[in-house]
Amino acid sequence: NQMVAGTIKSIDIGKGILVINQKVGNEKVDRELSISEDVEFDVAGKLSSGVAGMELLKVGASVKIKCDKDVKVLKVTSK
């Protein structure tokens, strides 16, 4: 598993896409992540999954995202 940390740049609930701005070395890069219905969310202590979890997120919030070896998102955490 890999952890990706960054700031939410955009949220597209209709397409299930989360774009985060991630610091890599000295630059910031945008990463587009697909969110499926089985992705777990922990947003400020509220647990959810899929679209319902995406609805809890806010643009500009910092997130930690756990991915598997194929970069499939497993869990999104935001304080």
Side-chain angles (χ1 to χ4, degrees):
N1 290 351
Q2 328 173 29
M3 287 299 282
V4 176
T7 306
I8 297 175
K9 186 172 180 187
S10 69
I11 303 164
D12 187 331
I13 290 173
K15 292 183 181 158
I17 300 285
L18 185 60
V19 178
I20 67 161
N21 194 275
Q22 182 186 11
K23 194 170 180 187
V24 177
N26 291 331
E27 14 176 24
K28 289 195 168 185
V29 294
D30 289 347
R31 280 188 75 161
E32 192 172 287
L33 300 165
S34 294
I35 304 296
S36 60
E37 271 305 307
D38 58 354
V39 173
E40 293 176 23
F41 286 83
D42 178 350
V43 181
K46 290 183 186 154
L47 302 179
S48 194
S49 63
V51 169
M54 287 183 81
E55 289 172 349
L56 298 172
L57 297 172
K58 291 185 172 50
V59 171
S62 351
V63 287
K64 285 187 188 152
I65 298 172
K66 185 164 99 176
C67 301
D68 68 11
K69 62 181 178 10
D70 302 319
V71 199
K72 178 182 183 306
V73 178
L74 302 173
K75 183 168 184 177
V76 178
T77 308
S78 179
K79 296 294 176 220

